[in-house]
Amino acid sequence: MSAARQQADVRSHRLDDADLARNFGDLHPPLGRSEALIAADPSYFCVDAPCTTACPTDIDIPGFIQKIRSDNLRGSAHTILGENIMGGMCARVCPTEVLCEEACVRNTHEEKPVAIGLLQRYATDPVFADGTQLFSRAPASGKKVAVVGGGPAGLSCAHRLAVLGHDVVVFNRDEKPGGLNEYGIAAYKTIDDFAQKEIAWILSIGGIELRNNQALGRDFTLEQLRDEYDAVFLGLGLATTNALGLDHEDLPGVNDAIEYIAEIRQTDELADLPVGRRVVVVGGGMTAIDIAVQSKRLGAETVDIVYRRGPQQMGASQYEQDLAQTSGVSIHHWASPIELLGDKHVDTVRFARTEFDGNGQLKTSGDEFELTADTVFKAIGQALDTHPLDGQGLNLEAGRIVVNDSGKTSLDDVWAGGDCVLGGDDLTVTAVQHGKLAAIDIDRQLREGE
Ligand SMILES: Cc1cc2nc3c(=O)[nH]c(=O)nc-3n(C[C@H](O)[C@H](O)[C@H](O)COP(=O)(O)OP(=O)(O)OC[C@H]3O[C@@H](n4cnc5c(N)ncnc54)[C@H](O)[C@@H]3O)c2cc1C
Ligand code: SF4
C-alpha cells in the first residue's frame, strides 16, 4: 500500500467557458451545400450496394445520395427516415467506420469511403429544423399498444405503430424521453438539444401519448399492460452498471461512468461539474472512451483507460480509440484492477497485468502496477434490471430477453427490442431497427386477429 496518501483533487471550473465551448462543440460539423455535393460526387450509386447491406436499418444509401445530387433534400430525407426514424441521431452517432462506410466500395488503401454519415445529416437536418412532416397515418385500427421505454427502440416502435394506424402509449421511467440519446451519448456528438428536437418531430406524427416518470415494476406490471392493451413492446435498455467486484468500491471518488455522463448531458453549466485531476477509467467499450474523452475535455490533467484485454478486443472501434488518444487519453491494455486504495477518498488503483493462457482464457501474469487517481470510473458494461420481469413468463437468457427475428418474446402479445434483448450489438441504429421490425410484426398479428 502507498505510504503517504495523496490529497484528492476534485473540483469544478478547471477550464474557462471558452475552452469548454470549444471542447464540447460539434465533433463533426455539418456540411454546407457545396461540401455536400463534393462529398456525394464519389458515390458509384452501386446496385446491391454493400453499404446498404451493412446498415442495420437497410437505408437505400445510393438512393438518398442520388437525391442530394439533384437537390431533392426532402426526398432524400424521406428515403432515410422511412427506414430509420432516428436517421438524424444515427447520422451523428453511428460508428460508420465499422458499418456503412467500412463496406463502401470506395474504401480502399488509396481512397476514402463516401462520407455517408455526414451526407445523411445534411439531408435530414432541414426536416428537424422546420418540422416538415414526411409521413401520414393509416386509418385508425382501433388497437392500442403499450410501449415500455422511451429510448431509440421504444420510440422507433411507437412511431411505426402510429404510422400503421394504431394508438400508442409510451411509458418511460426517466424524466425525459430519449433513453441514452438524451442521457448517454457523448455531449459533443449531439449538441444543441438535438435529441429532444428529434423526439418532438417523431411525436408530431400524432397517436403517441408519452408518459414520463412511469416505471414498469414500480408503477405498473407487465400483466396489467397485457390486460389493458392489444400488444406490448419492451424497450427497457440496460438499467444497471456492472460492479468491479473489489473491496472499497463505495469509496468516494469511485463512480459509475454512466451516471456522470448523464450529469454532463443534463447540466446547463459544464464548468460547475466536479472533475478529478487524475482520472482512471476501467473498461474498453464506448462508455469507457466517452467518459475518458469527456473528462479530459472538462479539464482533467491525466486520464488513463485500463482495459483487461488487447486493442482488438475492445468494444470501442479503432476510430473511437484514436479519438481518445488524440484527445490526450492514455490507453493501457492487458491489465485488470485488483485493489482500490485510499482512506476517505480513493487515491490509487492497483492493477494486475493480464494475458491469455494456452486455452485463450484470461489470466493474471503476476506483474502488478499502480496508478494514482482522484476519480475512478467504472465502465465495464451494463445489465438489464430483470426484477420487473420476474414471474411474468418471459424467456430470459444471459440476463437478456429472448426474442425471434421479428422481436417477439416467448409471450404471444409481447415484443422486445434494443439493448434489453439477447444477441444485439448495443448500438442506437440496431435499437431503431428492432423497434421498427417489432412494430411491423405487431401490426401483422393485430390485423390477422381481426
Ligand atoms: C455512454 C454510452 C455511449 C454510447 N454511445 C453510442 C454511440 O456513440 N453510438 C451508438 O450507436 N450507440 C451508442 N451507445 C449505445 C446506444 O446508446 C444504445 O444501444 C441505445 O440507446 C439502446 O436503445 P434502447 O432503446 O434499447 O435503450 P435506452 O436508450 O437505454 O432506453 C431505454 C429507455 O427505457 C426506459 N426504461 C428503463 N427501464 C424502464 C422501466 N422499468 N419502465 C419504464 N421505462 C423504463 C428508460 O427511461 C429509457 O428511456 C452508447 C451507450 C452508452 C451507455
Ligand atoms: S443509419 Fe448509420 S449505418 Fe445506416 S447508413 Fe446511416 S450512418 Fe450508416
Side-chain angles (χ1 to χ4, degrees), residues 102-253:
E102 183 184 48
C104 176
V105 293
R106 286 279 192 183
N107 189 14
T108 62
H109 287 303
E110 290 80 39
E111 285 187 289
K112 281 184 170 173
V114 174
I116 298 167
L118 278 171
L119 286 167
Q120 181 169 311
R121 176 167 172 185
Y122 172 73
T124 51
D125 270 0
V127 170
F128 308 112
D130 64 17
T132 314
Q133 185 51 265
L134 298 176
F135 304 101
S136 58
R137 298 187 65 198
S141 68
K143 304 286 185 192
K144 285 190 313 179
V145 182
V147 167
V148 189
L155 291 173
S156 160
C157 183
H159 185 271
R160 184 55 68 107
L161 286 166
V163 165
L164 292 166
H166 309 296
D167 283 335
V168 186
V169 179
V170 178
F171 298 88
N172 187 45
R173 181 204 56 202
D174 293 329
E175 214 170 295
K176 294 189 203 170
L180 292 168
N181 280 5
E182 174 61 34
Y183 294 97
I185 299 284
Y188 41 75
K189 288 187 186 171
T190 168
I191 64 162
D192 293 338
D193 207 18
F194 178 74
Q196 293 309 314
K197 287 179 187 153
E198 182 177 55
I199 292 165
W201 179 80
I202 289 173
L203 297 179
S204 71
I205 187 74
I208 305 172
E209 185 194 339
L210 175 63
R211 297 187 195 165
N212 291 317
N213 299 308
Q214 289 291 305
L216 179 73
R218 185 189 67 197
D219 303 309
F220 54 90
T221 64
L222 182 57
E223 207 174 353
Q224 285 168 332
L225 293 182
R226 294 179 67 201
D227 279 349
E228 211 179 309
Y229 293 85
D230 297 295
V232 179
F233 175 81
L234 301 174
L236 299 167
L238 302 174
T240 57
T241 302
N242 295 332
L244 298 173
L246 300 178
D247 290 341
H248 315 304
E249 212 163 317
D250 54 356
L251 263 179

Side-chain angles (χ1 to χ4, degrees), residues 90 92-95 148-155 171-181 183-186 189 214-218 220 235-239 257-258 261 286-288 290-291 320 382 385 388 417-420 425-432:
C90 287
R92 291 160 167 76
V93 307
C94 269
V148 189
L155 291 173
F171 298 88
N172 187 45
R173 181 204 56 202
D174 293 329
E175 214 170 295
K176 294 189 203 170
L180 292 168
N181 280 5
Y183 294 97
I185 299 284
K189 288 187 186 171
Q214 289 291 305
L216 179 73
R218 185 189 67 197
F220 54 90
L236 299 167
L238 302 174
I258 301 278
I261 288 172
M286 205 121 60
T287 306
D290 283 359
I291 190 65
E320 301 272 347
Q382 293 166 271
D385 175 11
D419 288 359
C420 67
D425 53 12
D426 297 353
L427 293 176
T428 309
V429 63
T430 306
V432 172

Side-chain angles (χ1 to χ4, degrees), residues 55-57 59 61 84 90-91 94 96 99-100 116-117 120 429:
C55 169
T57 47
I59 292 173
I61 295 166
N84 179 338
C90 287
C94 269
T96 51
L99 297 170
C100 51
I116 298 167
Q120 181 169 311
V429 63

Side-chain angles (χ1 to χ4, degrees), residues 205-403:
I205 187 74
I208 305 172
E209 185 194 339
L210 175 63
R211 297 187 195 165
N212 291 317
N213 299 308
Q214 289 291 305
L216 179 73
R218 185 189 67 197
D219 303 309
F220 54 90
T221 64
L222 182 57
E223 207 174 353
Q224 285 168 332
L225 293 182
R226 294 179 67 201
D227 279 349
E228 211 179 309
Y229 293 85
D230 297 295
V232 179
F233 175 81
L234 301 174
L236 299 167
L238 302 174
T240 57
T241 302
N242 295 332
L244 298 173
L246 300 178
D247 290 341
H248 315 304
E249 212 163 317
D250 54 356
L251 263 179
V254 180
N255 298 334
D256 176 344
I258 301 278
E259 278 175 17
Y260 192 77
I261 288 172
E263 282 181 45
I264 296 175
R265 286 296 306 276
Q266 297 306 306
T267 187
D268 293 329
E269 283 298 338
L270 284 168
D272 289 347
L273 289 174
V275 186
R277 187 157 73 88
R278 294 147 307 193
V279 173
V280 169
V281 177
V282 181
M286 205 121 60
T287 306
I289 299 287
D290 283 359
I291 190 65
V293 173
Q294 289 179 108
S295 295
K296 193 78 185 123
R297 290 180 183 208
L298 282 168
E301 211 171 279
T302 63
V303 181
D304 295 274
I305 292 179
V306 185
Y307 176 57
R308 61 189 175 148
R309 298 194 174 95
Q312 285 77 27
Q313 289 85 28
M314 282 182 90
S317 69
Q318 190 56 51
Y319 169 81
E320 301 272 347
Q321 294 179 47
D322 293 347
L323 175 69
Q325 278 162 336
T326 54
S327 302
V329 172
S330 306
I331 305 183
H332 311 259
H333 298 105
W334 302 110
S336 189
I338 49 172
E339 200 172 2
L340 296 162
L341 304 171
D343 282 338
K344 296 196 172 88
H345 196 281
V346 71
D347 59 38
T348 307
V349 193
R350 190 195 300 262
F351 291 90
R353 293 198 193 278
T354 52
E355 60 190 15
F356 284 138
D357 66 14
N359 300 319
Q361 298 295 315
L362 202 65
K363 66 174 181 92
T364 51
S365 70
D367 279 354
E368 293 181 4
F369 66 97
E370 289 183 354
L371 290 175
T372 52
D374 310 293
T375 303
V376 176
F377 283 115
K378 297 184 267 185
I380 55 166
Q382 293 166 271
L384 171 65
D385 175 11
T386 55
H387 288 110
L389 308 175
D390 285 348
Q392 301 289 322
L394 275 177
N395 193 2
L396 302 181
E397 204 180 302
R400 303 222 188 170
I401 304 170
V402 178
V403 291

